[in-house]
């Protein structure tokens, strides 16, 4: 893999990069398919053998009918699916973590999936590899500094702001970790990396200066989404005894 080099922008435009997707659920699988359709080589990873077996058969494990007919068929060129991050990560220039971040029964954020994915990814990244890791999973404000960065330092040989740094980006908020042999103050780098997603999106990018503001933005967006979808459901349950529909 090449990771982040001076040729990153032209390689991103031409599809000459290998993209890894960690978590092949309702977000990860369509994202993997989108990058593959855009011409990139894709490695998809999921801890579920059932999910991996179904995707390898060209079947849709997510339950989303919109994905039924777009899963690449077996032996498709540039389409690699596995349960092993250790197998996939060394091949990848860019890795997207798209695992779920549910809420526990006592209403606390459950970061166990993010922690497991981060551990598996960063244990497989060599120092100075220039691999780009993007956390797309929703996390609470401050989680990057409090949880993610210490986890990376614990499970890898990388030191924050020396061997890797964290930045933010983009239309659908993402947190970007880049493993470099030397820290750089190239402020254009995160924007260039975010531009990779122009292969999938038509929307404009918004660059945020800190990961905390990014976490807050995404958290607010998710909260609004829950309100929008939750209100009709609540009203329907209230009205149901009266046999009214909404």
């Amino acid at each position: 893999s090449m990771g982040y080099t001076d040729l990153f922008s032209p390689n991103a435009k031409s599809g000459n990069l290998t993209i890894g997707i960690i978590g092949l659920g309702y977000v990860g699988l369509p994202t993997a398919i989108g990058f593959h359709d855009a011409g990139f080589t894709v490695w998809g990873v999921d801890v579920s053998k059932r999910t991996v077996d179904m995707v390898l058969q060209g079947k849709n494990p997510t339950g989303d009918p919109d994905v039924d007919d777009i899963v690449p068929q077996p032996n498709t060129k540039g389409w690699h699916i596995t349960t092993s991050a250790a197998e996939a990560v060394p091949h990848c220039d860019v890795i997207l973590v798209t695992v779920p971040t549910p809420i526990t029964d006592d209403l606390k954020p459950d970061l166990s999936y993010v922690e497991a994915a981060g551990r598996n990814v960063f244990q497989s990244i060599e120092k100075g590899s220039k691999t780009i890791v993007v956390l797309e999973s929703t996390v609470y404000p401050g989680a990057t500094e409090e949880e993610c960065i210490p986890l990376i330092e614990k499970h890898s040989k990388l030191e924050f702001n020396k061997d890797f740094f964290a930045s933010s980006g983009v239309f659908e908020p993402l947190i970007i970790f880049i493993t470099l042999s030397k820290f750089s103050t190239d402020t254009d780098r995160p924007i260039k990396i975010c531009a990779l997603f122009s292969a999938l999106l038509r929307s404009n990018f918004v660059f945020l200066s800190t990961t905390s503001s990014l976490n807050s933005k995404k958290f607010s967006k998710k909260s609004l989404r829950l309100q929008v979808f939750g209100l009709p459901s609540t009203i329907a349950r209230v009205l149901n005894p009266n046999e009214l529909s909404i």
Side-chain angles (χ1 to χ4, degrees):
S1 66
M2 296 176 290
Y4 187 88
T5 68
D6 292 340
L7 297 175
F8 183 85
S9 291
N11 286 337
K13 290 180 180 179
S14 64
N16 188 28
L17 292 172
T18 299
I19 311 296
I21 309 293
I22 310 298
L24 297 176
Y26 73 96
V27 173
L29 183 57
T31 301
I33 295 169
F35 275 114
H36 183 264
D37 288 348
F40 296 88
T41 297
V42 170
W43 281 81
V45 180
D46 200 285
V47 295
S48 167
K49 188 176 184 300
R50 171 189 172 274
T51 294
V52 167
D53 287 346
M54 288 188 69
V55 176
L56 285 172
Q57 296 168 26
K59 298 178 181 178
N60 170 25
T62 69
D64 181 352
D66 291 337
V67 183
D68 286 345
D69 299 325
I70 62 174
V71 181
Q73 294 305 297
N75 302 315
T76 298
K77 183 179 179 181
W79 180 250
H80 310 278
I81 307 297
T82 179
T83 57
S84 172
E87 177 187 2
V89 167
H91 297 280
C92 298
D93 302 297
V94 181
I95 298 168
L96 275 68
V97 177
T98 60
V99 296
T101 48
I103 301 296
T104 63
D105 292 338
D106 55 354
L107 302 181
K108 295 181 179 180
D110 180 0
L111 297 183
S112 60
Y113 295 97
V114 172
E115 292 171 357
R119 180 172 61 250
N120 292 335
V121 167
F122 281 95
Q123 283 178 341
S124 304
I125 289 179
E126 293 295 328
K127 185 175 181 178
S129 67
K130 301 183 180 180
T131 306
I132 300 161
V133 181
V134 178
L135 176 59
E136 191 169 349
S137 303
T138 302
V139 293
Y140 61 86
T144 303
E145 295 82 356
E146 298 169 10
E147 303 286 345
C148 298
I149 291 173
L151 182 143
I152 293 170
E153 292 187 308
K154 178 181 178 180
H155 294 291
S156 70
K157 299 178 182 179
L158 307 175
E159 182 180 343
F160 181 52
N161 275 352
K162 180 180 179 182
D163 303 313
F164 77 98
F165 74 93
S167 188
S168 58
V170 64
F171 158 80
E172 176 69 21
L174 308 169
I175 300 166
I176 301 166
F177 302 98
I178 310 177
T179 55
L180 296 168
S181 57
K182 185 177 180 181
F183 177 69
S184 171
T185 56
D186 175 11
T187 55
D188 289 336
R189 182 184 293 130
I191 298 174
K192 292 176 183 176
I193 294 169
C194 291
L196 169 67
F197 293 86
S198 63
L200 306 182
L201 306 170
R202 294 181 179 178
S203 301
N204 294 326
F205 295 104
V206 177
F207 182 76
L208 301 176
S209 59
T210 68
T211 53
S212 293
S213 60
L214 174 73
N215 292 150
S216 299
K217 182 180 186 299
K218 193 165 189 180
F219 185 79
S220 299
K221 178 181 176 181
K222 291 289 184 180
S223 299
L224 178 60
R225 183 179 297 171
L226 287 173
Q227 293 176 34
V228 170
F229 288 107
L231 181 60
S233 176
T234 301
I235 294 175
R237 285 198 296 269
V238 171
L239 295 180
N240 188 52
N242 299 321
E243 298 183 351
L244 298 175
S245 61
I246 182 169

